[in-house]
């Protein structure tokens, strides 16, 4: 793992942004050229949303990976968060501009369809995280910055729940995503952290 961490230390953050941005135009191109099936708008909406959820999970996994596996991705955590918000925004834009289109219908759907209500709640909670994902905000907010960015926890739960509620019928994939999110959040609870207690006992 030390060799992997050495490679990661030499990897520039801009490379993560570049790599993470590639799927956005690619999936849009596929949608425009018939590569996403008979319902390209729905498929594009799904692809952007699933990528956002995967990146959100990766962001949640950064701390457990460092703590339990020794893999240090901390320098990339902000980039992962920014990319997550970008794909959530694309997911939302596809729904707003290409799918629904009518302003009155958009508001009606938010109020009447629970899975959309949950998804919009997650997006609203993400807004202060996106706005403060910069060095100036870290300096300006001080200790409050960390407290504010704990909003990512309810965002992740709402995002996973949104996917489960969106699925038609019983589908295992959304449940797996939600289970992984719950597991990663549970690792942050002292009661579910036997590895940390074991290490403390060994060093005593």
């Amino acid at each position: 793992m030390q060799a992997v961490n050495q490679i990661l230390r030499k990897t520039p953050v801009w490379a993560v942004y570049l790599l993470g941005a590639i799927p956005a135009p690619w999936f849009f191109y596929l949608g425009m050229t018939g590569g996403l099936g008979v319902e390209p708008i729905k498929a594009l909406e799904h692809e952007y949303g699933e990528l956002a959820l995967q990146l959100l999970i990766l962001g949640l996994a950064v701390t457990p990976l460092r703590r339990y596996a020794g893999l240090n991705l901390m320098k990339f955590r902000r980039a992962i968060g920014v990319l997550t918000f970008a794909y959530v925004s694309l997911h939302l834009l596809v729904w707003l501009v290409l799918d629904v289109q009518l302003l009155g219908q958009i508001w009606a759907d938010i109020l009447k369809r629970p899975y959309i209500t949950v998804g919009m709640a997650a997006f609203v909670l993400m807004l202060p995280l996106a706005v403060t994902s910069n060095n100036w905000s870290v300096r300006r907010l001080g200790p409050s910055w960390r407290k504010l960015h704990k909003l990512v926890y309810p965002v992740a739960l709402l995002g996973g729940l949104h996917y489960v509620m969106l699925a038609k019928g019983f589908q295992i994939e959304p449940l797996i995503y939600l289970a992984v999110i719950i597991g990663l959040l549970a690792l942050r609870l002292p009661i579910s952290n036997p590895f940390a207690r074991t290490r403390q006992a060994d060093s005593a």
Side-chain angles (χ1 to χ4, degrees):
M1 194 59 66
Q2 185 176 358
V4 175
N5 285 334
Q6 287 178 350
I7 295 173
L8 292 174
R9 280 194 291 269
K10 296 177 181 178
T11 303
V13 176
W14 62 260
V16 175
Y17 282 110
L18 180 61
L19 184 63
I22 289 174
W26 173 246
F27 281 123
F28 189 80
Y29 168 77
L30 289 177
M32 293 290 290
T33 57
L36 291 181
V38 295
E39 293 187 336
I41 293 175
K42 290 292 185 183
L44 185 62
E45 191 177 324
H46 171 78
E47 294 293 348
Y48 285 155
E50 190 168 35
L51 269 170
L53 194 58
Q54 290 168 353
L55 286 165
L56 185 58
I57 289 172
L58 179 59
L60 287 178
V62 168
T63 296
L65 283 173
R66 185 182 64 166
R67 185 176 299 167
Y68 303 122
L71 181 63
N72 193 347
L73 298 171
M74 293 297 293
K75 68 179 285 188
F76 306 116
R77 187 159 64 176
R78 182 182 299 179
I80 294 169
V82 172
L83 287 167
T84 300
F85 181 75
Y87 278 105
V88 168
S89 299
L90 288 171
H91 172 69
L92 179 60
L93 282 171
V94 171
W95 177 67
L96 292 173
V97 179
L98 300 179
D99 191 354
V100 182
Q101 299 181 349
L102 300 175
L103 184 60
Q105 185 62 45
I106 289 169
W107 184 245
D109 282 351
I110 292 173
L111 294 178
K112 293 180 180 180
R113 300 189 180 189
Y115 73 89
I116 296 179
T117 306
V118 169
M120 286 301 299
F123 178 74
V124 170
L125 289 178
M126 286 190 77
L127 290 175
L129 304 183
V131 171
T132 58
S133 290
N134 53 74
N135 292 331
W136 182 86
S137 295
V138 174
R139 293 192 299 269
R140 183 72 174 176
L141 295 175
S144 299
W145 187 88
R146 288 185 178 275
K147 294 180 181 179
L148 175 64
H149 277 250
K150 287 184 179 179
L151 282 174
V152 71
Y153 303 154
V155 166
L157 283 173
L158 289 171
L161 184 60
H162 169 71
Y163 192 14
V164 171
M165 296 171 70
L166 177 63
K168 295 180 180 179
F170 179 81
Q171 295 187 29
I172 192 67
E173 185 179 7
L175 293 173
I176 291 174
Y177 276 110
L178 183 58
V180 171
I181 289 169
I182 293 172
L184 288 171
L185 294 179
L187 287 174
R188 287 165 163 80
L189 300 174
I191 191 172
S192 64
N193 200 345
F195 300 103
R197 291 199 298 269
T198 302
R199 288 182 180 180
Q200 291 172 1
D202 291 341
S203 60

